[in-house]
């Protein structure tokens, strides 16, 4: 019965849309800050206090309208759009909590930086088109006074997807939809493919799709730093720490069909400070779960999935860390400057890196091959056995390549349908999700950030309708499967 109730309400939260973290009063007008804490400490200590001992600037504020868990590119994008769309400057107090502000293990910085419209779902095509327009005009959005412009080093070389006889019909259908959404994608026969890219061996290729505009790759680090610099200039607070607890309240609600559900509301976030046993409680109105590969764990802290199996309360956020390897190799006889990002029929991909005959690439493992995500160690045998043979078969020049370096990063992998989770949780009514993109979060971050800000501030999606990406689909068992995962 609850499934029938959920469907017509997927686009809105079950409770209020307002921002308030104190009963009876909006905290949008709250004007306290950490400096007041410093003053109180100094008033209790005779003489001149030690700046080191009593400095509290590393602590988050005691109150924040919105707490964003995760300071990667998606979390920063949510912060940017909340501040951009607020009704008056300073109306919304936003705190971003990131446990590693060096971003040494963050998915953003370890990405190969691709952007494409060649997806199997219209929503993902729309997100990519929104993103490319944003990126092409990056300094209209992220300019900061007296700071150098953001240089994304965008390379518009396109994507080239290869399909076997078995996958040709799906590829053709996908391209038809992509064109309807406004993407400039062309289909190529094996003969056309070999004429344009004579260094490709077309054996086993029945059809190919090629992005003629608005596809390629860019520097993820530049986008991350540009967003971070911009939101800081807009008044967003940052804190290095880890969210370890949510303080919640519960209430029972009876649905229109007579079923009782337990609603939760988060009132306080506990942030454990970096390299310390201390934590800082932060009262808040809204929590955004943008914790990437670790967002499933953050959701569990709020009680998501802690209920009887088969119920909405017992439905988990199906996002977990999956380790992916990226290899960089050199090949003096390799493809030239016109090389796009190529995805082979078996999932092996590569692109050019710079101008010195260097290339990066890899392949997503099968379920049986999934590596242990406990660390980011690289499996070099995976390249030798699972990647290189396919590279050399498709591009004969790669027979003589030499690997120069490699790294590993995490996908925030949605095990249900490999697609994003965007919007509010139906029972933890003030937790919103922006996670689970399974490898395409970087390129969709700016569109997802706007979507989260819109549904939070207005109660519904406006720019792009991401209703199919709501959490409720996991309980309803309605997959929104993205087939083009690289």
């Amino acid at each position: 019965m609850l499934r029938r109730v959920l469907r017509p309400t997927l686009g809105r939260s079950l409770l209020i849309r307002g921002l308030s973290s104190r009963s009876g009063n909006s905290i949008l007008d709250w004007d306290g800050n950490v400096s007041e804490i410093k003053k109180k400490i100094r008033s209790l200590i005779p003489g001149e206090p030690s700046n080191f001992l009593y400095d509290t600037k590393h602590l988050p504020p005691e109150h924040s309208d919105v707490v964003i868990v995760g300071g990667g590119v998606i979390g920063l994008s949510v912060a940017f759009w909340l501040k951009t769309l607020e009704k008056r400057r300073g109306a919304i107090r936003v705190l971003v909590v990131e446990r590693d502000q060096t971003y040494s293990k963050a998915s953003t910085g370890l990405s190969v930086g691709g952007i494409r419209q060649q997806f199997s779902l219209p929503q993902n095509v729309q997100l990519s088109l929104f993103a490319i327009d944003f990126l092409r005009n990056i300094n209209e959005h992220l300019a900061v006074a007296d700071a150098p412009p953001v240089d994304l080093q965008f390379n518009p070389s396109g994507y080239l997807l290869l399909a076997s006889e078995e996958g040709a019909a799906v590829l053709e259908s996908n391209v038809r939809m992509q064109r309807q959404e406004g993407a400039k994608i062309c289909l190529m026969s094996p003969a056309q493919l070999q004429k344009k890219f004579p260094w490709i061996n077309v054996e086993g290729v029945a059809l190919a799709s090629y992005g003629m505009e608005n596809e390629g790759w860019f520097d993820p680090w530049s986008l991350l730093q540009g967003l971070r610099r911009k939101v800081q200039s807009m008044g967003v607070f940052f804190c290095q720490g880890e969210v370890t607890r949510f303080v919640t309240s519960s209430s029972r609600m009876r649905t229109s069909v007579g079923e009782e559900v337990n609603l939760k509301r988060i009132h306080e976030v506990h942030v454990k400070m970096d390299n310390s046993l201390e934590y800082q409680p932060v009262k808040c109105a809204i929590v955004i779960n943008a914790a990437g590969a670790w967002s499933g764990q953050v959701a569990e802290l709020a009680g998501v999935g802690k209920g009887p199996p088969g119920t909405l309360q017992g439905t988990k956020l199906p996002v977990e860390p999956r380790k992916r390897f990226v290899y960089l190799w050199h090949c003096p006889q390799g493809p030239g400057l016109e090389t796009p990002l190529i995805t082979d029929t078996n999932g092996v991909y590569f692109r050019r890196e710079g101008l010195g005959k260097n290339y990066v690439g890899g392949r997503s493992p099968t379920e049986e091959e999934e590596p242990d995500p406990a660390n980011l160690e690289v499996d070099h045998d995976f390249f030798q056995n699972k990647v290189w043979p396919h590279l050399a078969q498709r591009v004969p020049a790669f027979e003589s390549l030499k690997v120069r370096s490699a790294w590993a990063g995490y996908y925030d992998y949605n095990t249900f349908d490999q697609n994003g989770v965007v919007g509010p949780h139906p029972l933890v009514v003030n937790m919103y999700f922006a996670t689970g993109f399974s490898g395409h979060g970087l390129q969709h971050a700016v569109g997802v950030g706007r979507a989260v800000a819109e549904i939070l501030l207005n109660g519904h999606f406006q720019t792009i309708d991401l209703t199919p990406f709501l959490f409720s689909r996991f309980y309803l068992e309605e997959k929104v499967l993205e087939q083009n995962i690289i």
Side-chain angles (χ1 to χ4, degrees):
M1 299 294 283
L2 182 56
R3 296 173 192 266
R4 293 204 300 270
V5 175
L6 276 173
R7 280 194 175 88
T9 61
L10 288 179
R12 60 184 184 273
S13 175
L14 293 176
L15 289 187
I16 63 168
R17 294 284 117 216
L19 294 174
S20 177
S21 68
R22 295 184 292 182
S23 57
N25 295 299
S26 168
I27 68 167
L28 297 179
D29 298 323
W30 183 77
D31 198 32
N33 53 52
V34 174
S35 63
E36 294 302 316
I37 303 173
K38 294 182 182 180
K39 292 177 183 177
K40 291 177 182 177
I41 292 174
R42 292 191 181 104
S43 70
L44 298 173
I45 301 174
E48 186 67 24
S50 166
N51 288 333
F52 176 77
L53 286 176
Y54 305 110
D55 185 10
T56 58
K57 66 177 179 290
H58 67 290
L59 295 176
E62 292 181 315
H63 295 76
S64 185
D65 297 315
V66 180
V67 174
I68 300 174
V69 185
V73 69
I74 290 180
L76 294 176
S77 174
V78 175
F80 169 78
W81 286 111
L82 283 173
K83 298 301 289 181
T84 298
L85 299 176
E86 64 184 351
K87 299 299 184 186
R88 59 178 176 82
R89 184 174 175 83
I92 305 173
R93 178 177 285 244
V94 178
L95 168 67
V96 176
V97 180
E98 170 57 46
R99 63 181 179 181
D100 177 19
Q101 294 196 24
T102 68
Y103 295 100
S104 61
K105 296 182 180 180
S107 300
T108 300
L110 299 172
S111 165
V112 297
I115 182 166
R116 59 188 164 104
Q117 284 82 57
Q118 296 186 64
F119 287 93
S120 64
L121 290 174
Q123 292 83 4
N124 285 332
V125 178
Q126 293 165 24
L127 285 168
S128 291
L129 289 168
F130 180 88
I132 196 66
D133 182 69
F134 184 98
L135 298 180
R136 285 191 179 280
N137 301 283
I138 191 75
N139 285 296
E140 292 182 14
H141 299 288
L142 301 188
V144 174
D146 301 322
V150 178
D151 180 12
L152 292 178
Q153 302 173 47
F154 178 61
N155 189 312
S157 294
Y159 268 64
L160 179 66
L161 274 58
L162 310 181
S164 63
E165 194 71 46
E166 184 182 12
V170 172
L171 182 71
E172 189 171 4
S173 175
N174 287 343
V175 169
R176 190 180 307 116
M177 177 274 294
Q178 293 155 10
R179 288 171 172 171
Q180 290 173 349
E181 296 297 333
K184 301 291 191 291
I185 313 295
C186 74
L187 289 169
M188 303 175 73
S189 68
Q192 292 170 321
L193 181 63
Q194 190 147 52
K195 183 178 180 180
K196 185 169 181 62
F197 304 109
W199 38 266
I200 288 183
N201 173 13
V202 297
E203 181 183 353
V205 177
L207 193 64
S209 60
Y210 177 54
M212 298 181 291
E213 291 182 11
N214 298 328
E215 291 193 334
W217 54 90
F218 62 93
D219 178 19
W221 185 252
S222 294
L223 177 60
L224 177 75
Q225 293 302 312
L227 276 167
R228 184 179 172 94
R229 184 180 68 183
K230 179 63 176 181
V231 300
Q232 283 181 311
S233 75
M234 300 169 89
V236 170
F237 292 85
F238 280 83
C239 170
Q240 183 168 352
E242 181 176 2
V243 171
T244 57
R245 185 189 175 204
F246 295 112
V247 178
T248 63
S249 63
S250 299
S251 60
R252 305 291 293 179
M253 186 189 85
R254 190 174 295 276
T255 69
S256 59
V257 295
E259 293 186 54
E260 278 197 352
V261 293
N262 188 39
L263 301 181
K264 278 189 174 183
R265 175 171 292 277
I266 299 170
H267 296 283
E268 192 172 273
V269 178
H270 286 189
V271 181
K272 180 180 175 297
M273 309 313 299
D274 189 46
N275 298 321
S276 172
L277 294 177
E278 68 174 318
Y279 73 88
Q280 174 75 9
V282 181
K283 289 182 171 58
C284 64
I286 299 291
V287 172
I288 310 293
N289 186 345
W294 319 111
S295 56
Q297 297 177 14
V298 172
E300 285 185 7
L301 291 176
V304 174
K306 301 288 185 69
T311 66
L312 181 58
Q313 190 173 341
T315 302
K316 295 179 180 294
L317 176 67
V319 177
E320 64 184 33
R322 293 281 181 98
K323 185 163 70 171
R324 297 293 180 263
F325 307 120
V326 181
Y327 305 91
L328 185 149
W329 63 88
H330 180 70
C331 183
Q333 291 77 42
L337 297 179
E338 81 286 1
T339 307
L341 195 155
I342 299 177
T343 301
D344 208 340
T345 58
N346 46 39
V348 170
Y349 73 90
F350 74 92
R351 68 163 174 81
R352 180 173 54 80
E353 173 69 5
L355 305 176
K357 294 288 186 174
N358 293 318
Y359 308 85
V360 295
R363 181 176 75 84
S364 289
T366 64
E367 284 291 329
E368 295 74 24
E369 297 168 343
E370 281 290 348
D372 183 359
N375 58 61
L376 287 178
E377 293 179 2
V378 174
D379 182 353
H380 292 277
D381 289 339
F382 186 78
F383 182 83
Q384 294 293 326
N385 300 325
K386 303 294 184 179
V387 180
W388 189 14
H390 299 293
L391 287 171
Q393 190 274 334
R394 186 61 64 208
V395 182
F398 283 159
E399 185 69 44
S400 61
L401 66 78
K402 294 193 181 304
V403 176
R404 288 190 163 176
S405 65
W407 65 90
Y410 290 116
Y411 275 12
D412 54 338
Y413 196 82
N414 175 353
T415 60
F416 182 74
D417 57 13
Q418 294 78 62
N419 229 328
V421 189
V422 183
H425 189 272
L427 298 182
V428 185
V429 294
N430 60 340
M431 172 172 275
Y432 289 68
F433 298 108
T435 185
F437 291 91
S438 307
H440 51 276
L442 171 69
Q443 60 187 296
H444 289 167
V446 293
V448 168
R450 181 167 184 117
V452 172
E454 287 174 351
I455 196 169
L456 174 55
L457 298 176
N458 304 309
H460 61 277
F461 298 117
Q462 293 176 306
T463 306
I464 301 172
D465 184 7
L466 297 184
T467 300
F469 291 2
L470 288 168
F471 179 94
S472 303
R473 75 183 192 270
F474 305 133
Y475 170 66
L476 299 171
E477 297 182 352
E478 296 177 347
K479 288 190 176 184
V480 187
L481 190 65
E482 175 53 59
Q483 297 172 327
N484 288 352
I485 296 296
I486 298 176

